[in-house]
């Protein structure tokens, strides 16, 4: 199985999480010539306060919103796993799917959600983060983990770096000063989730948040992550 490798793989629990967390960095990486792909784990079909909204319709809308955001950013490919929203489990099937994609696209960097937030946190986020970390090590690395993947030509792959968003212990900041506007535009594609984000007040509120994350740096705006480097 031959697929063009992508330097960066973003694994997001729901459509819209990636835009909130990492779209500024995604846009910068793409400007720098990197290939970025998205893996969207759930279909987001519970994410509405409107009781008249049918879950199937919401899932369809959110997929379109995700595709529009990804297109705006220049993301090469979006892979939808379509697990039901709020029902993600740490299963061997889900883990193997992530391993398969890591081996297929051979990313240097995997970006996902930090599973170690204490107290309140979305269960799908916790499970996504944990399963992706497990998939990176040891399952994507080891020949004997999935003999059937090997038979399909999917060789083990060693990811170099993991960036976890939403971390209580950020240790790495990414400059989004030049890509803030496109991040907000991409976020705005998720209208079913964020409404209208284009007003000057809303933009300024968000700018403030990313300004705080860049405090002490010689640039204005940052996204923050917990970075894990892997020395194989
Ligand atoms: Zn989410």
């Amino acid at each position: 199985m031959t697929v063009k490798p992508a330097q960066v793989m973003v694994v997001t629990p729901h459509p819209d999480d990636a835009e909130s967390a990492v779209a500024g960095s995604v846009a910068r990486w793409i400007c720098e010539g990197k290939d970025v792909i998205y893996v969207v784990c759930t279909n987001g079909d519970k994410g509405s306060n409107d009781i008249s909204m049918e879950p199937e319709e919401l899932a369809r809308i959110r997929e379109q919103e995700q595709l529009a955001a990804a297109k705006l950013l220049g993301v090469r490919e979006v892979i939808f796993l379509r697990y039901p929203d709020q029902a993600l489990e740490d299963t061997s099937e889900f883990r193997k799917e992530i391993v398969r994609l890591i081996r297929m696209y051979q990313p240097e960097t995997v970006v996902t959600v930090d599973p170690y937030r204490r107290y309140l946190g979305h269960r799908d986020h916790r499970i996504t983060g944990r399963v992706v970390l497990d998939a990176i090590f040891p399952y994507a690395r080891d020949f004997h983990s999935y003999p059937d993947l090997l038979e399909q030509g999917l060789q083990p792959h060693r990811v170099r770096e993991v960036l976890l968003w939403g971390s209580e212990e950020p240790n790495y900041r990414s400059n989004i000063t030049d890509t803030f506007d496109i991040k907000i535009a991409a976020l705005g594609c998720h209208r079913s989730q964020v409404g209208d984000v284009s007003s000057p007040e809303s933009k300024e509120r968000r700018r403030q948040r990313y300004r705080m994350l860049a405090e002490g740096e010689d640039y204005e705006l940052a996204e923050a992550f917990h970075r894990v480097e892997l020395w194989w």
Side-chain angles (χ1 to χ4, degrees):
M1 202 176 299
T2 50
V3 171
K4 189 177 167 225
Q7 286 95 340
V8 180
M9 176 184 283
V10 177
V11 186
T12 176
H14 305 104
D16 84 314
D17 294 325
E19 276 62 47
S20 295
V22 67
S25 304
V26 163
R28 183 168 56 76
W29 293 326
I30 290 169
C31 282
E32 291 168 359
K34 292 183 177 172
D35 271 11
V36 179
I37 65 157
Y38 275 14
V39 179
V40 184
C41 298
T42 76
N43 63 13
D45 70 351
K46 309 287 192 298
S48 177
N49 294 325
D50 177 1
I51 196 156
S52 67
M53 171 65 82
E54 293 293 334
E56 298 77 18
E57 175 64 1
L58 183 58
R60 195 193 60 74
I61 290 169
R62 294 193 70 181
E63 226 171 78
Q64 292 309 311
E65 290 174 342
Q66 182 64 89
L67 287 170
K71 189 171 177 196
L72 198 64
L73 294 167
V75 171
R76 195 181 89 197
E77 197 175 337
V78 184
I79 296 154
F80 293 100
L81 301 185
R82 300 191 176 105
Y83 286 100
D85 195 356
Q86 298 182 9
L88 207 53
E89 294 295 343
D90 183 348
T91 62
S92 56
E93 181 211 0
F94 179 32
R95 187 173 61 241
K96 185 174 177 182
E97 187 58 29
I98 301 293
V99 171
R100 191 178 71 80
L101 292 169
I102 289 172
R103 290 190 182 190
M104 191 181 279
Y105 289 93
Q106 303 165 41
E108 290 161 17
T109 300
V110 172
V111 191
T112 191
V113 56
D114 191 324
Y116 295 115
R117 283 184 80 92
R118 284 169 295 181
Y119 313 115
L120 285 180
H122 198 299
R123 184 177 162 78
D124 290 341
H125 288 210
R126 200 159 62 239
I127 288 171
T128 298
R130 193 55 256 171
V131 167
V132 171
L133 289 170
D134 286 341
I136 290 168
F137 170 79
Y139 294 88
R141 186 199 65 174
D142 289 347
F143 276 104
H144 296 296
S145 298
Y146 295 106
D148 56 327
L149 292 185
L150 208 54
E151 278 166 25
Q152 292 167 32
L154 293 170
Q155 296 290 327
H157 177 69
R158 295 173 184 226
V159 170
R160 291 279 163 202
E161 169 190 54
V162 188
L163 297 177
L164 301 168
W165 73 68
S167 179
E168 292 178 348
E169 294 174 354
N171 62 0
Y172 179 78
R173 290 185 276 190
S174 167
N175 183 355
I176 64 159
T177 311
D178 295 337
T179 51
F180 172 76
D181 286 337
I182 192 168
K183 173 187 171 80
I184 298 303
L187 187 63
C189 293
H190 297 278
R191 215 175 166 86
S192 73
Q193 304 302 299
V194 299
D196 184 4
V197 295
S198 65
S199 74
E201 299 75 33
S202 152
K203 230 172 153 179
E204 189 47 38
R205 249 195 334 271
R206 289 178 199 277
R207 186 179 279 276
Q208 281 294 350
R209 192 192 316 159
Y210 297 110
R211 199 175 278 142
M212 276 169 60
L213 294 176
E215 224 169 73
E217 301 288 349
D218 59 0
Y219 51 79
E220 189 196 357
L221 305 170
E223 289 170 336
F225 305 92
H226 187 85
R227 179 172 188 250
V228 182
E229 255 185 298
L230 294 108
W231 302 98
W232 300 101

